[in-house]
Amino acid sequence: MQQAEDLYGPFEGHWRGYHPAGGAPPLADNPTGQAEKAALKAGKKLHLSWRPYEDPDNGRSWARTVSGDMLRQTMGRLQDYCGEGCPEVWLSVVHEPELDWRDHCPTVNPCPGWTYADFKNMWGKVVQAREDAGAGKVKLAWVVQGNPDRQKHYYSLWPGNDKVDIVGQDPYIDRGDKAEDLPKRMIERTKWFRDESAKHNGRYDYASKPHIFAEYGCDLGGDEEDRGTAEHRGRCIDEVREALPGIAGIPGIQVVEMDFFDAGSGWIEDADGSPDHEAYKRLKAATER
């Protein structure tokens, strides 16, 4: 994010950070944690993602999370470093849980250690640790992919209306899709969350929570060496910018933020006037008016 700010100027939204399974927790005593602490002290808003279990190859899973002490200590650090000038810090607990099924379950469905109950129990432990640590500034973000073929799982993955502060999704399109498909997907999937809340009489209260696009991108498909073209990304980003009134103005749900996310797409590296770099500058300006 510092590299992005060096190119695009300060961001009004949240800085993103990722802590994978088996890695150090947020704000740990390592270079990443020190950078996060410095960012909070400098007044930056942070949105951190954490998979609070050890490397699954060592037997850890949603059913076997890190210790309660580590959870409480992490919550305490987030609260303390947020400080007086920091209203809140966002924490995504296992953003895109569907990825864990893809990586650890043979049928891309719940399997032992990765069941709906395991997920909700894990989330409950995080909520309890936040309460024990008095970490009221830590806001918990429930972030899923949002894909239609995954939506049937979201009811059972919902931790509870009183255990989620922010709802997020990660819309993407493939590198060969039409550029206008990304904003269309953003709007359609946001409406799905709103409509499902009404359909189930608020049992799954997605709609009353602030809604974010925690990631988004224009160029899935291929491998890391072939992420589409700068021209396609530029058109896609411009389509998102032009659709902002429709995205922000969806009735019955409040879209509050689109986090910066490069996803290896080259928006940062293409700092030479390329179409995607220039389009992202226009999008950033439009979202921060």
Side-chain angles (χ1 to χ4, degrees):
M1 283 302 302
Q2 185 59 61
Q3 185 183 7
E5 286 207 342
D6 290 343
L7 287 173
Y8 298 115
F11 283 78
E12 293 182 10
H14 287 69
W15 280 29
R16 289 289 268 127
Y18 292 83
H19 295 267
L27 274 64
D29 190 17
N30 61 14
T32 297
Q34 295 298 335
E36 292 168 346
K37 294 172 185 177
L40 282 174
K41 285 188 174 182
K44 301 297 183 183
K45 296 182 286 187
L46 293 190
H47 177 188
L48 304 177
S49 294
W50 184 28
R51 279 178 152 73
Y53 46 88
E54 301 297 335
D55 186 340
D57 290 338
N58 294 328
R60 293 286 184 169
S61 63
W62 297 344
R64 299 183 62 202
T65 60
V66 298
S67 69
D69 284 345
M70 178 177 284
L71 291 174
R72 287 187 289 273
Q73 291 165 7
T74 299
M75 292 295 168
R77 286 196 301 271
L78 290 168
Q79 177 76 13
D80 292 344
Y81 277 93
C82 192
E84 294 183 1
C86 166
E88 60 188 34
V89 57
W90 294 357
L91 180 67
S92 292
V93 181
V94 187
H95 94 284
E96 294 191 10
E98 306 98 320
L99 294 182
D100 283 334
W101 289 338
R102 181 198 68 187
D103 294 340
H104 308 299
C105 296
T107 60
V108 196
N109 276 306
C111 62
W114 309 95
T115 68
Y116 301 133
D118 294 331
F119 182 84
K120 289 191 282 191
N121 287 338
M122 173 190 62
W123 195 285
K125 292 177 182 178
V126 174
V127 172
Q128 185 62 53
R130 178 177 65 172
E131 181 177 334
D132 292 345
K137 289 187 175 183
V138 180
K139 304 303 178 184
L140 299 180
W142 182 78
V143 178
V144 294
Q145 290 176 328
N147 298 347
D149 63 343
R150 300 285 189 267
Q151 290 168 351
K152 63 184 179 182
H153 297 290
Y154 296 160
Y155 316 112
S156 299
L157 286 171
W158 183 244
N161 294 346
D162 60 340
K163 295 179 174 65
V164 175
D165 301 302
I166 299 161
V167 170
Q169 58 169 299
D170 293 348
Y172 283 85
I173 62 172
D174 289 335
R175 55 185 177 154
D177 289 342
K178 294 179 181 178
E180 59 267 26
D181 286 350
L182 181 57
K184 180 180 178 181
R185 190 163 291 181
M186 289 175 160
I187 292 171
E188 289 178 347
R189 293 182 182 180
T190 303
K191 288 181 176 179
W192 182 88
F193 285 106
R194 178 201 63 188
D195 294 346
E196 290 303 302
S197 294
K199 183 186 298 183
H200 295 278
N201 297 316
R203 180 180 179 185
Y204 312 103
D205 190 13
Y206 312 127
S208 73
K209 314 292 183 182
H211 198 90
I212 64 173
F213 299 108
E215 296 177 5
Y216 57 96
C218 312
D219 48 15
L220 290 181
D223 54 31
E224 292 301 319
E225 301 302 321
D226 184 6
R227 297 299 299 265
T229 67
E231 290 74 18
H232 179 259
R233 289 193 294 272
R235 290 194 301 271
C236 175
I237 298 165
D238 277 336
E239 291 285 349
V240 172
R241 175 176 53 82
E242 292 174 8
L244 284 175
I247 294 170
I250 298 172
I253 195 165
Q254 183 185 20
V255 177
V256 298
E257 185 162 301
M258 296 170 56
D259 287 349
F260 175 83
F261 191 69
D262 182 71
S265 299
W267 302 350
I268 296 177
E269 288 79 4
D270 289 344
D272 55 358
S274 66
D276 52 353
H277 176 71
E278 295 302 314
Y280 189 77
K281 287 197 295 186
R282 293 190 290 269
L283 176 61
K284 179 179 181 296
T287 57
E288 295 180 347
R289 288 173 183 165

